[in-house]
Amino acid sequence: MLTLHRVRGVRLGHDGEPVPGHAVVVDGARLAAIGPYEELLAAYGDRARVREWDGVLTPGRYEPEGAALLEAAYHPDPREADELGSEPITGEALKALAMTETRWGASARRGLQRLLAAGTTALTGPFTRPAVRTAVQRSGLAEPPGGRPRALTVGGAADFAVFAEDGSCLATVLAGRLVHRRR
């Protein structure tokens, strides 16, 4: 399915200014087109779903400490909030928890949701806990060689985020899938 993402502007790389009035077309897991919205609408509008975001579309955020964030903290299950709170647990408090690989995997999935909600599209390891590595691989987050997510290019991976003027993330897309949307 084709999706046309209409935004205030598109920033192709991490540096530079966004190009106002531009949009992107996603076909499956790839970017099919990048250009002025009106041109893309004329070319794809009759067969594409249109999503509108009041922000700037970028390659997303890169988290160089991804492994540390997920392996050095326990992200409590909401059912544990009364006992443990809702913020990540680290240090001595973490050592007091009975952590199994299953519990690490569930914690990593909750931690990944926080990263996706912040517009993260790439992170790095190394990951030493198998359950955390598996959670990251299943999430679709990229581990780009040399760091930083790739620039947005036609034919490239449809991994991007849309940010509002205040810097908050409106949407995160990995491999063409909308994995976070601010409600």
Side-chain angles (χ1 to χ4, degrees):
M1 167 176 260
L2 294 171
T3 304
L4 173 58
H5 292 269
R6 182 180 192 180
V7 290
R8 288 180 175 255
V10 174
R11 180 178 289 128
L12 298 176
H14 291 281
D15 301 324
E17 294 297 314
V19 181
H22 270 49
V24 301
V25 175
V26 174
D27 185 3
R30 298 278 173 212
L31 292 173
I34 302 171
Y37 171 73
E38 296 301 331
E39 289 178 19
L40 297 181
L41 182 63
Y44 296 94
D46 61 336
R47 52 199 168 107
R49 165 182 51 194
V50 178
R51 291 195 184 271
E52 296 194 22
W53 310 103
D54 189 19
V56 174
L57 190 145
T58 77
R61 291 193 170 124
Y62 164 63
E63 183 51 67
E65 301 296 325
L69 286 171
L70 298 173
E71 292 191 350
Y74 175 67
H75 300 269
D77 186 296
R79 296 170 291 189
E80 302 172 306
D82 288 342
E83 178 187 351
L84 300 175
S86 59
E87 292 303 309
I89 297 170
T90 59
E92 292 301 315
L94 177 60
K95 290 177 186 175
L97 294 176
M99 295 300 292
T100 63
E101 277 300 301
T102 301
R103 200 168 187 191
W104 273 116
S107 170
R109 287 189 296 277
R110 290 185 295 272
L112 286 165
Q113 287 304 311
R114 288 179 182 226
L115 291 173
L116 294 172
T120 302
T121 56
L123 49 72
T124 55
F127 297 95
T128 59
R129 298 186 186 284
V132 174
R133 155 88 45 218
T134 299
V136 170
Q137 288 172 337
R138 288 181 177 171
S139 75
L141 278 169
E143 292 182 64
R148 298 198 72 103
R150 297 176 286 285
L152 300 176
T153 59
V154 172
D159 296 340
F160 56 85
V162 181
F163 296 97
E165 265 186 64
D166 65 3
S168 63
C169 180
L170 300 173
T172 306
V173 173
L174 297 177
R177 293 179 305 121
L178 183 63
V179 295
H180 167 73
R181 166 182 28 206
R182 186 168 78 186
R183 302 210 185 262

